[in-house]
Amino acid sequence: GQASSAGFKVDHSPKEGSIMQTTNGPYGHVAYVERVNGDGSILISEMNYTNGPYNSDYRTIPASEVSLYAYIH
């Protein structure tokens, strides 16, 4: 809600360079959309998710799950 209030577009359609956001987990989570693939999946980069605190990694979100997240543009 704060991103939208600040004038950013927020929707459920990822674009390269947008921020993926979810409220899942105790604090929520954000990630950077590196690429939208031809099959509708997305490649994201993130920190503190699969490799523990202060570690970054990449992950592919399947096309079937992409619309479950909000994207800040």
Side-chain angles (χ1 to χ4, degrees):
Q2 291 181 7
S4 183
S5 295
F8 291 95
K9 179 181 175 183
V10 180
D11 60 22
H12 292 278
S13 300
K15 303 277 187 263
E16 186 175 314
S18 60
I19 302 299
M20 183 187 87
Q21 183 271 329
T22 181
T23 57
N24 293 345
Y27 304 107
H29 189 66
V30 294
Y32 182 80
V33 178
E34 298 282 347
R35 182 177 65 230
V36 178
N37 299 313
D39 65 357
S41 65
I42 59 173
L43 176 67
I44 61 168
S45 58
E46 61 192 342
M47 226 176 154
N48 305 333
Y49 188 76
T50 54
N51 293 325
Y54 311 110
N55 292 302
S56 59
D57 60 17
Y58 292 89
R59 188 165 53 116
T60 298
I61 305 296
S64 62
E65 296 176 17
V66 165
S67 65
L68 301 176
Y69 298 95
Y71 299 91
I72 303 167
H73 307 275

